[in-house]
Amino acid sequence: MHDLLYGKVTATAPPAPGFSRKGNKLNGVGWHFLPAQHIPRQPQDVFVESFLRDALIRLNPEIAANPNRAEEVLYRLRAIVLSVRSDGIIRANEEFTAWLRGDRSMPFGENHEHTTVRLIDPTNLDNNQYIVTTQYTFRAGPAERRADLVLLINGLPLVLIEAKTPVRKAVSWVDGALQVHDDYEKNVPELFACNVFSVATEGKELRYGSIRMPVELWGVWRLDDDAPPSSLASLKHTITSLLRPWVILDILNHFTLFATDKKKRRLKIVCRYQQYEAVNRIVDRVVAGRPKKGY
Protein backbone atom coordinates (compact mmCIF):
# COMPACT_ATOMS: atom_id res chain seq x y z
CA MET A 1 0.00 0.00 0.00
CA HIS A 2 2.78 2.41 0.91
CA ASP A 3 4.47 2.34 -2.52
CA LEU A 4 1.13 2.79 -4.29
CA LEU A 5 0.30 5.91 -2.27
CA TYR A 6 3.61 7.73 -2.30
CA GLY A 7 6.15 5.72 -4.31
CA LYS A 8 9.54 5.55 -2.60
CA VAL A 9 10.17 9.18 -1.71
CA THR A 10 10.27 10.15 1.97
CA ALA A 11 10.30 13.77 3.12
CA THR A 12 12.10 14.81 6.30
CA ALA A 13 10.66 18.34 6.32
CA PRO A 14 7.09 19.58 5.72
CA PRO A 15 6.45 19.38 1.97
CA ALA A 16 5.35 22.39 -0.05
CA PRO A 17 1.78 22.51 -1.43
CA GLY A 18 1.10 20.37 -4.48
CA PHE A 19 1.11 16.71 -5.40
CA SER A 20 4.20 14.59 -4.89
CA ARG A 21 5.94 14.27 -8.24
CA LYS A 22 9.02 12.68 -9.76
CA GLY A 23 9.81 14.79 -12.79
CA ASN A 24 6.54 15.46 -14.57
CA LYS A 25 4.80 12.35 -13.24
CA LEU A 26 2.92 11.77 -10.01
CA ASN A 27 4.84 9.89 -7.35
CA GLY A 28 2.44 7.11 -6.41
CA VAL A 29 -0.97 8.80 -6.45
CA GLY A 30 0.38 12.15 -5.29
CA TRP A 31 0.93 11.91 -1.53
CA HIS A 32 4.12 13.07 0.17
CA PHE A 33 5.26 10.62 2.85
CA LEU A 34 6.28 12.36 6.07
CA PRO A 35 7.21 10.19 9.07
CA ALA A 36 5.14 10.88 12.18
CA GLN A 37 8.19 12.07 14.11
CA HIS A 38 8.66 14.90 11.60
CA ILE A 39 5.08 16.17 11.91
CA PRO A 40 4.91 19.19 14.28
CA ARG A 41 2.05 18.16 16.56
CA GLN A 42 1.42 16.84 20.04
CA PRO A 43 -0.44 13.54 20.59
CA GLN A 44 -3.49 15.42 21.89
CA ASP A 45 -3.76 17.47 18.68
CA VAL A 46 -6.24 16.12 16.13
CA PHE A 47 -4.90 18.20 13.25
CA VAL A 48 -1.53 19.80 12.53
CA GLU A 49 -2.13 23.43 13.42
CA SER A 50 0.99 24.85 11.78
CA PHE A 51 0.14 23.20 8.45
CA LEU A 52 -3.47 24.37 8.64
CA ARG A 53 -2.43 27.89 9.66
CA ASP A 54 -0.19 28.11 6.59
CA ALA A 55 -3.08 26.91 4.40
CA LEU A 56 -5.48 29.47 5.84
CA ILE A 57 -3.04 32.27 5.04
CA ARG A 58 -2.33 30.82 1.59
CA LEU A 59 -5.96 30.30 0.57
CA ASN A 60 -7.69 33.32 2.11
CA PRO A 61 -6.64 36.85 1.06
CA GLU A 62 -8.40 38.38 4.07
CA ILE A 63 -6.37 36.17 6.42
CA ALA A 64 -3.17 36.79 4.47
CA ALA A 65 -3.74 40.53 5.04
CA ASN A 66 -3.95 39.89 8.79
CA PRO A 67 -2.45 36.47 9.70
CA ASN A 68 -3.73 36.78 13.28
CA ARG A 69 -7.16 35.98 11.88
CA ALA A 70 -5.99 32.41 11.35
CA GLU A 71 -6.02 31.97 15.12
CA GLU A 72 -9.71 32.88 15.20
CA VAL A 73 -10.47 30.12 12.70
CA LEU A 74 -8.31 27.60 14.56
CA TYR A 75 -10.19 28.49 17.77
CA ARG A 76 -13.50 27.66 16.04
CA LEU A 77 -12.15 24.35 14.75
CA ARG A 78 -10.75 23.37 18.14
CA ALA A 79 -14.20 24.05 19.60
CA ILE A 80 -15.74 21.58 17.14
CA VAL A 81 -13.25 18.92 18.24
CA LEU A 82 -14.09 19.60 21.89
CA SER A 83 -17.82 19.29 21.13
CA VAL A 84 -17.50 15.65 20.06
CA ARG A 85 -18.09 14.34 23.58
CA SER A 86 -21.15 16.52 24.25
CA ASP A 87 -22.77 16.80 20.80
CA GLY A 88 -21.75 13.43 19.41
CA ILE A 89 -19.31 12.41 16.72
CA ILE A 90 -21.79 12.79 13.83
CA ARG A 91 -22.89 16.32 14.77
CA ALA A 92 -19.30 17.45 15.22
CA ASN A 93 -18.29 15.88 11.92
CA GLU A 94 -21.21 17.52 10.15
CA GLU A 95 -20.14 20.95 11.36
CA PHE A 96 -16.49 20.33 10.47
CA THR A 97 -17.57 19.11 7.03
CA ALA A 98 -19.31 22.45 6.46
CA TRP A 99 -16.01 24.20 7.16
CA LEU A 100 -14.14 21.80 4.88
CA ARG A 101 -16.59 22.55 2.06
CA GLY A 102 -16.22 26.31 2.42
CA ASP A 103 -19.74 26.74 3.81
CA ARG A 104 -18.68 28.86 6.78
CA SER A 105 -17.66 32.53 6.93
CA MET A 106 -16.01 34.96 9.32
CA PRO A 107 -16.26 38.79 9.60
CA PHE A 108 -12.90 39.39 7.94
CA GLY A 109 -14.06 41.68 5.13
CA GLU A 110 -14.34 45.43 4.93
CA ASN A 111 -16.59 46.85 7.67
CA HIS A 112 -16.61 43.37 9.23
CA GLU A 113 -18.41 41.89 6.24
CA HIS A 114 -18.50 38.10 6.35
CA THR A 115 -16.23 36.33 3.86
CA THR A 116 -15.95 32.62 3.08
CA VAL A 117 -13.15 30.79 4.87
CA ARG A 118 -11.32 28.15 2.84
CA LEU A 119 -9.53 25.32 4.63
CA ILE A 120 -8.98 23.51 1.32
CA ASP A 121 -8.81 24.76 -2.26
CA PRO A 122 -11.38 22.64 -4.17
CA THR A 123 -10.48 23.95 -7.64
CA ASN A 124 -6.72 24.47 -7.86
CA LEU A 125 -5.68 21.27 -6.12
CA ASP A 126 -1.97 22.11 -6.24
CA ASN A 127 -2.68 24.81 -3.65
CA ASN A 128 -3.19 22.08 -1.04
CA GLN A 129 -0.61 20.09 0.90
CA TYR A 130 -0.94 16.28 0.72
CA ILE A 131 0.74 14.10 3.36
CA VAL A 132 0.49 10.43 4.23
CA THR A 133 2.01 9.27 7.50
CA THR A 134 2.12 6.11 9.59
CA GLN A 135 1.59 5.45 13.29
CA TYR A 136 -0.44 8.62 13.85
CA THR A 137 -0.80 8.70 17.62
CA PHE A 138 -3.72 10.49 19.24
CA ARG A 139 -4.37 10.85 22.96
CA ALA A 140 -7.69 11.80 24.57
CA GLY A 141 -7.42 11.79 28.36
CA PRO A 142 -6.18 8.36 29.43
CA ALA A 143 -7.00 6.80 26.05
CA GLU A 144 -4.29 6.67 23.39
CA ARG A 145 -4.57 5.05 19.97
CA ARG A 146 -2.20 4.77 17.02
CA ALA A 147 -3.66 4.68 13.51
CA ASP A 148 -1.69 2.65 10.97
CA LEU A 149 -1.91 5.26 8.20
CA VAL A 150 -3.52 8.68 7.97
CA LEU A 151 -4.01 10.90 4.92
CA LEU A 152 -3.76 14.61 5.74
CA ILE A 153 -4.74 17.50 3.51
CA ASN A 154 -3.50 20.86 4.81
CA GLY A 155 -2.79 19.18 8.12
CA LEU A 156 -6.31 17.75 8.50
CA PRO A 157 -6.59 13.94 8.97
CA LEU A 158 -9.32 13.23 6.42
CA VAL A 159 -8.82 9.48 5.96
CA LEU A 160 -7.79 6.89 8.54
CA ILE A 161 -6.50 3.52 7.30
CA GLU A 162 -6.22 0.41 9.44
CA ALA A 163 -4.02 -2.18 7.72
CA LYS A 164 -3.86 -5.68 9.15
CA THR A 165 -1.30 -8.37 8.37
CA PRO A 166 -1.92 -10.29 5.11
CA VAL A 167 -0.18 -13.49 6.30
CA ARG A 168 -2.65 -14.68 8.95
CA LYS A 169 -5.70 -16.40 7.45
CA ALA A 170 -7.78 -15.70 10.55
CA VAL A 171 -7.35 -11.93 10.08
CA SER A 172 -9.37 -9.99 7.51
CA TRP A 173 -10.40 -6.42 6.73
CA VAL A 174 -13.25 -6.95 9.20
CA ASP A 175 -10.76 -6.91 12.08
CA GLY A 176 -9.49 -3.51 10.97
CA ALA A 177 -13.00 -2.13 10.49
CA LEU A 178 -14.07 -3.37 13.94
CA GLN A 179 -11.04 -1.72 15.48
CA VAL A 180 -12.04 1.59 13.90
CA HIS A 181 -15.76 1.26 14.68
CA ASP A 182 -15.72 -0.39 18.11
CA ASP A 183 -12.50 1.03 19.55
CA TYR A 184 -11.19 4.20 17.91
CA GLU A 185 -14.52 5.92 17.26
CA LYS A 186 -15.71 5.21 20.82
CA ASN A 187 -12.52 5.85 22.79
CA VAL A 188 -10.88 8.65 20.76
CA PRO A 189 -13.85 10.14 18.86
CA GLU A 190 -12.11 13.52 18.56
CA LEU A 191 -9.81 12.00 15.94
CA PHE A 192 -12.82 11.67 13.61
CA ALA A 193 -14.06 15.25 13.83
CA CYS A 194 -12.89 15.99 10.28
CA ASN A 195 -12.88 12.43 8.94
CA VAL A 196 -14.25 11.91 5.40
CA PHE A 197 -14.17 8.10 5.60
CA SER A 198 -12.06 5.28 7.03
CA VAL A 199 -10.47 2.29 5.31
CA ALA A 200 -9.71 -1.24 6.47
CA THR A 201 -7.63 -3.85 4.65
CA GLU A 202 -5.59 -6.96 5.32
CA GLY A 203 -3.65 -6.69 2.06
CA LYS A 204 -6.11 -8.79 0.07
CA GLU A 205 -9.39 -6.95 0.25
CA LEU A 206 -10.25 -3.35 1.11
CA ARG A 207 -13.46 -1.79 2.45
CA TYR A 208 -14.35 1.77 3.42
CA GLY A 209 -17.03 3.34 5.58
CA SER A 210 -18.16 6.59 7.16
CA ILE A 211 -18.14 7.24 10.91
CA ARG A 212 -20.52 5.04 12.93
CA MET A 213 -21.46 3.03 9.85
CA PRO A 214 -22.04 -0.62 10.89
CA VAL A 215 -19.13 -2.76 9.71
CA GLU A 216 -21.42 -5.00 7.64
CA LEU A 217 -22.27 -1.94 5.53
CA TRP A 218 -18.68 -0.96 4.74
CA GLY A 219 -18.36 -0.98 0.98
CA VAL A 220 -16.02 -2.15 -1.75
CA TRP A 221 -14.62 0.21 -4.39
CA ARG A 222 -13.88 -1.22 -7.81
CA LEU A 223 -14.28 1.28 -10.64
CA ASP A 224 -13.99 -0.35 -14.06
CA ASP A 225 -12.30 -3.34 -12.46
CA ASP A 226 -13.01 -6.85 -13.69
CA ALA A 227 -10.52 -8.51 -11.34
CA PRO A 228 -11.87 -10.71 -8.52
CA PRO A 229 -12.57 -8.58 -5.43
CA SER A 230 -9.95 -10.38 -3.31
CA SER A 231 -7.16 -10.37 -5.91
CA LEU A 232 -3.95 -8.37 -5.59
CA ALA A 233 -4.69 -6.62 -8.89
CA SER A 234 -8.08 -5.49 -7.61
CA LEU A 235 -6.56 -4.24 -4.34
CA LYS A 236 -3.93 -2.19 -6.17
CA HIS A 237 -6.59 -0.71 -8.43
CA THR A 238 -8.78 0.14 -5.44
CA ILE A 239 -5.96 1.89 -3.58
CA THR A 240 -4.86 3.91 -6.61
CA SER A 241 -8.47 4.86 -7.37
CA LEU A 242 -10.20 5.49 -4.03
CA LEU A 243 -7.22 7.06 -2.26
CA ARG A 244 -6.26 9.60 -4.90
CA PRO A 245 -6.39 13.07 -3.30
CA TRP A 246 -8.86 14.43 -5.86
CA VAL A 247 -11.23 11.48 -5.36
CA ILE A 248 -11.24 12.02 -1.59
CA LEU A 249 -12.00 15.72 -2.11
CA ASP A 250 -14.70 14.87 -4.66
CA ILE A 251 -16.37 12.52 -2.17
CA LEU A 252 -16.08 15.19 0.54
CA ASN A 253 -17.60 17.95 -1.55
CA HIS A 254 -20.16 16.14 -3.72
CA PHE A 255 -20.83 12.61 -2.45
CA THR A 256 -21.31 12.98 1.31
CA LEU A 257 -24.55 13.81 3.06
CA PHE A 258 -26.05 13.82 6.54
CA ALA A 259 -29.55 12.57 7.27
CA THR A 260 -31.85 11.62 10.14
CA ASP A 261 -33.31 8.11 10.34
CA LYS A 262 -36.71 7.04 11.69
CA LYS A 263 -35.27 6.82 15.19
CA LYS A 264 -34.18 10.47 14.88
CA ARG A 265 -30.51 9.47 14.84
CA ARG A 266 -28.16 11.58 12.75
CA LEU A 267 -26.31 9.58 10.09
CA LYS A 268 -23.39 10.27 7.79
CA ILE A 269 -23.61 8.71 4.33
CA VAL A 270 -20.88 8.46 1.71
CA CYS A 271 -21.39 7.21 -1.82
CA ARG A 272 -20.97 3.68 -3.13
CA TYR A 273 -18.63 3.24 -6.07
CA GLN A 274 -21.57 2.72 -8.45
CA GLN A 275 -23.07 6.07 -7.49
CA TYR A 276 -19.75 7.87 -7.80
CA GLU A 277 -19.04 6.44 -11.22
CA ALA A 278 -22.54 6.93 -12.62
CA VAL A 279 -22.94 10.54 -11.45
CA ASN A 280 -19.54 11.61 -12.73
CA ARG A 281 -20.19 9.98 -16.11
CA ILE A 282 -23.51 11.81 -16.41
CA VAL A 283 -21.84 15.11 -15.50
CA ASP A 284 -19.11 14.49 -18.08
CA ARG A 285 -21.74 13.86 -20.76
CA VAL A 286 -23.64 17.03 -19.86
CA VAL A 287 -20.46 19.13 -19.92
CA ALA A 288 -19.49 17.59 -23.26
CA GLY A 289 -22.96 18.33 -24.67
CA ARG A 290 -23.66 14.72 -25.60
CA PRO A 291 -27.19 13.30 -25.97
CA LYS A 292 -28.96 12.26 -22.80
CA LYS A 293 -28.53 8.66 -21.88
CA GLY A 294 -29.05 6.79 -18.62
CA TYR A 295 -26.64 4.50 -16.86
Side-chain angles (χ1 to χ4, degrees):
M1 174 177 285
H2 301 66
D3 288 351
L4 294 174
L5 288 173
Y6 55 82
K8 296 181 180 297
V9 177
T10 300
T12 56
F19 299 117
S20 176
R21 291 185 172 90
K22 294 179 69 174
N24 294 323
K25 295 183 178 180
L26 284 181
N27 180 41
V29 294
W31 298 95
H32 299 268
F33 176 67
L34 187 63
Q37 63 268 29
H38 295 303
I39 295 179
R41 61 177 287 271
Q42 297 300 314
Q44 63 270 21
D45 297 333
V46 170
F47 48 86
V48 187
E49 292 199 3
S50 61
F51 293 172
L52 183 54
R53 184 181 295 106
D54 290 344
L56 287 167
I57 295 170
R58 184 171 66 250
L59 303 179
N60 300 273
E62 297 83 8
I63 297 178
N66 183 355
N68 290 330
R69 289 170 172 164
E71 300 304 320
E72 297 182 46
V73 178
L74 292 173
Y75 178 83
R76 292 287 192 93
L77 300 179
R78 291 189 209 106
I80 298 173
V81 172
L82 291 174
S83 74
V84 168
R85 300 274 175 169
S86 58
D87 297 345
I89 190 173
I90 300 291
R91 294 284 184 182
N93 186 268
E94 184 174 7
E95 177 61 18
F96 215 121
T97 298
W99 282 88
L100 291 169
R101 288 173 167 171
D103 293 337
R104 293 293 180 264
S105 62
M106 295 282 284
F108 294 156
E110 189 174 353
N111 298 319
H112 300 290
E113 179 183 356
H114 272 254
T115 58
T116 297
V117 175
R118 297 271 180 205
L119 308 187
I120 295 172
D121 192 328
T123 53
N124 184 357
L125 299 187
D126 267 319
N127 276 339
N128 303 311
Q129 179 196 59
Y130 304 98
I131 291 174
V132 55
T133 192
T134 57
Q135 303 303 305
Y136 195 82
T137 301
F138 177 71
R139 184 183 304 139
E144 180 176 292
R145 298 295 184 272
R146 186 176 294 116
D148 289 336
L149 292 99
V150 170
L151 305 181
L152 303 108
I153 298 182
N154 294 341
L156 296 159
L158 300 189
V159 176
L160 181 146
I161 303 170
E162 198 62 27
K164 295 301 181 183
T165 176
V167 297
R168 293 176 57 190
K169 292 184 178 180
V171 175
S172 75
W173 68 267
V174 176
D175 297 273
L178 286 172
Q179 188 167 358
V180 173
H181 184 274
D182 293 347
D183 182 3
Y184 292 0
E185 290 182 3
K186 289 185 177 180
N187 293 306
V188 287
E190 294 88 350
L191 183 57
F192 298 86
C194 57
N195 180 270
V196 177
F197 58 82
S198 295
V199 170
T201 182
E202 83 289 58
K204 301 173 185 176
E205 191 174 356
L206 181 150
R207 300 288 181 101
Y208 71 102
S210 59
I211 50 175
R212 304 315 302 148
M213 176 181 286
V215 170
E216 61 269 21
L217 298 181
W218 282 42
V220 298
W221 183 276
R222 51 175 87 118
L223 299 185
D224 297 323
D225 189 10
D226 295 328
S230 60
S231 72
L232 182 59
S234 179
L235 180 66
K236 289 181 177 179
H237 179 81
T238 298
I239 293 170
T240 56
S241 174
L242 174 62
L243 300 181
R244 291 175 291 180
W246 51 94
V247 172
I248 294 169
L249 292 178
D250 200 13
I251 292 174
L252 165 67
N253 287 305
H254 305 117
F255 294 92
T256 298
L257 61 86
F258 294 85
T260 303
D261 66 8
K262 294 180 180 179
K263 296 182 180 180
K264 297 184 179 181
R265 296 175 300 184
R266 202 66 176 156
L267 306 174
K268 179 178 181 179
I269 303 167
V270 295
C271 62
R272 299 292 189 182
Y273 73 94
Q274 305 98 319
Q275 297 162 331
Y276 182 87
E277 187 173 38
V279 169
N280 277 328
R281 283 186 175 182
I282 291 170
V283 171
D284 288 343
R285 291 181 66 87
V286 171
V287 171
R290 295 173 184 168
K292 294 180 181 179
K293 184 177 180 181
Y295 283 93

